[in-house]
Amino acid sequence: MLTTLPIQDLRGYGSLEARFGPGPQLVWGPNAAGKTSLLEAIVLLAWGHSHRTTADSELIRWGAELARIEGTLHTGADAAHDRPSGGDQVVEVALVRSGSGSRRRIRVNGVPRRTAALPGVLRAVIFAPEEMLLVVGGPGLRRAALDRLATQAAPAYGSNLATYQRALQQRNALLRAIREEAAGREQLRYWDATIVQAGGAIVAERLRLLDALREPLARAHAEIAPDEGGGSGLGLRYLTNAPSRDGEPPADALARRLAETADKEVWNGATLVGPHRDDLAFELDGRELAGYASRGQQRTAILAFKLAELDVLTTLDGRPPLLLLDDVFSELDPDRRAHLVRRIADLPQAFVTTTTPDDLDPQLLARATGWQVVPAGEGAPARLAGPTAPEPSGAPPSDRGAAGRRASPVETR
């Protein structure tokens, strides 16, 4: 559970420090006010990078040289009672302008750490509007969703993914040089070995993860939409350009396919096979959803996938991940909203953004602590006002005040 969140010069925020309690945290305000940026700060603490951009320099507030986010995490059994457990940890991510880019610094309890160490400290599942295209959008969306989950579920996955991406860039540059007759094919051997080793490990972990997702995904889908599908239910199928033959390991299959496509890759100046070209298919009773699913069926499948993510990450050590819902309630019909509210109620803490509390289920409003994002004015940073007991417009005044809540007022400058 995230208990404190100091932010300095991130996006539209100047200086802010919020204190959060247990349960749903409702962050509301107009579009472009800074709601998503607040969730982005939490994502930075969990993953070490943004879910919205690959350029850290975009995160630093205009005119500032450094952005800093710090989170205090309750990780012990007494987190729900707001008592120190001895397991509290402080995570800090700092982004510093450097030339035309930026440098990233990560510390856990004051000790410098690599990005790969963060998933073991704070795990998070984010559900954002752009993921409403997860079923029918481009393969990159589905690969990114699976990679985010795998990085949190398997400690070595992030390292293998980074190694693979670096080797892929170098190999592609070398292929272009070979095409221009500025290098020889024998120079590919080194990068081929790295691609095969890291790429094989990536595919093997993806397949293991899809196996772990199978049951919770089908179960979540059956709970949300019991009338959809009557056979094998909702599933995910891995689509690879290096399929295994007769049970060969993924690394061997990738090595074989690299040899088979060698001439074509030199002609194109690019690596044509590997996990960077693989895809996932959502299937309902054996039929691929992308070809026929209505928008409602797509949203049901995506919601089931997110709930399955929660289950898979929780089974790792019994600690539910932090759920971040970025303005998605307006995309769901009342039945799907109600199901999501029931799942939120079982979590120690969740963050929900919306433009207006009117979009939210009354049961969620009754449980939530409200935070209003006040957008930046001319020359002034955005700020966070709260905590409050959120009410939909037109609702009668509530006798619930903020006095009994564990969250403390936000401090802004």
Side-chain angles (χ1 to χ4, degrees):
M1 194 177 74
L2 182 66
T3 58
T4 69
L5 183 65
I7 296 174
Q8 177 186 338
D9 291 325
L10 179 77
R11 297 281 192 185
Y13 290 101
S15 181
L16 175 151
E17 181 171 353
R19 297 180 181 274
F20 301 111
Q25 308 296 310
L26 171 60
V27 182
W28 65 280
N31 289 326
K35 305 184 300 297
T36 299
S37 296
L38 193 71
L39 296 193
E40 191 173 28
I42 300 172
V43 170
L44 281 164
L45 296 176
W47 302 345
H49 59 84
S50 168
H51 66 293
R52 301 166 66 194
T53 178
T54 57
D56 287 348
S57 57
E58 295 180 8
L59 305 176
I60 304 172
R61 188 169 175 244
W62 181 259
E65 294 300 313
L66 176 145
R68 179 177 172 274
I69 308 96
E70 182 183 288
T72 302
L73 310 172
H74 269 318
T75 56
D78 291 333
H81 300 92
D82 203 26
R83 292 196 297 264
S85 64
D88 294 359
Q89 300 194 68
V90 178
V91 180
E92 177 194 350
V93 177
L95 309 172
V96 184
R97 290 196 191 278
S98 177
S100 59
S102 63
R103 292 181 292 107
R104 186 188 310 163
R105 184 187 69 205
I106 296 172
R107 295 180 185 273
V108 178
N109 294 331
V111 178
R113 303 292 294 272
R114 294 183 180 275
T115 301
L118 290 180
V121 181
L122 173 62
R123 292 191 289 266
V125 171
I126 186 164
F127 192 4
E130 55 266 25
E131 290 183 298
M132 288 299 175
L133 295 174
L134 199 58
V135 172
V136 298
L141 282 174
R142 291 180 287 277
R143 284 195 299 268
L146 190 59
D147 287 342
R148 285 195 296 265
L149 178 56
T151 299
Q152 298 184 90
Y157 189 87
S159 177
N160 284 326
L161 191 61
T163 298
Y164 181 85
Q165 290 169 341
R166 287 193 298 267
L168 183 64
Q169 291 178 343
Q170 296 293 332
R171 190 176 189 272
N172 285 342
L174 182 55
L175 284 168
R176 291 191 293 271
I178 295 171
R179 183 179 60 184
E180 301 300 323
E181 299 183 351
R185 289 198 181 197
E186 69 280 357
Q187 297 179 51
L188 283 171
R189 293 174 185 170
Y190 174 80
W191 297 113
D192 284 356
T194 305
I195 288 286
V196 166
Q197 181 179 5
I202 289 168
V203 173
E205 180 55 33
R206 286 178 177 177
L207 293 173
R208 188 203 67 79
L209 187 58
L210 290 183
D211 188 60
L213 281 167
R214 182 177 295 112
E215 184 178 338
L217 180 65
R219 183 174 61 245
H221 187 265
E223 291 173 1
I224 302 168
D227 297 331
E228 288 185 16
S232 57
L234 182 67
L236 288 168
R237 181 163 56 94
Y238 194 66
L239 306 176
T240 178
N241 48 42
S244 296
R245 292 178 179 173
D246 300 323
E248 67 181 335
D252 291 352
L254 181 54
R256 173 174 50 79
R257 288 291 290 141
L258 284 174
E260 292 171 352
T261 60
D263 292 339
K264 190 174 181 180
E265 287 187 331
V266 171
W267 177 265
N268 285 271
T271 304
L272 301 179
V273 297
H276 66 291
R277 292 289 188 100
D278 290 351
D279 196 2
L280 297 174
F282 283 82
E283 294 182 331
L284 185 60
D285 297 335
R287 294 178 61 198
E288 191 168 336
L289 270 177
Y292 72 91
S294 67
R295 287 177 64 85
Q297 288 175 314
Q298 293 174 37
R299 289 168 177 173
T300 298
I302 296 164
L303 178 55
F305 178 76
K306 289 299 171 180
L307 298 180
E309 278 192 71
L310 285 173
D311 289 342
V312 167
L313 292 177
T314 300
T315 58
L316 294 177
D317 56 10
R319 289 190 299 137
L322 198 59
L323 179 61
L324 310 175
L325 302 172
D326 190 9
D327 200 19
V328 295
F329 272 87
S330 60
E331 300 279 354
L332 303 174
D333 62 34
D335 289 341
R336 292 174 179 84
R337 293 184 194 182
H339 189 88
L340 188 52
V341 168
R342 289 194 294 271
R343 293 298 296 265
I344 291 172
D346 293 334
L347 297 173
Q349 191 180 50
F351 286 79
V352 181
T353 73
T354 183
T355 54
T356 170
D358 292 343
D359 286 338
L360 301 184
D361 189 288
Q363 295 182 55
L364 178 59
L365 291 175
R367 295 172 176 267
T369 300
W371 304 87
Q372 182 181 7
V373 179
V374 181
E378 187 173 346
R383 60 187 179 87
L384 195 63
T388 61
E391 300 281 1
S393 61
S398 171
D399 59 0
R400 296 177 302 126
R405 299 189 179 276
R406 293 188 179 93
S408 300
V410 68
E411 299 173 7
T412 58
R413 290 196 298 275

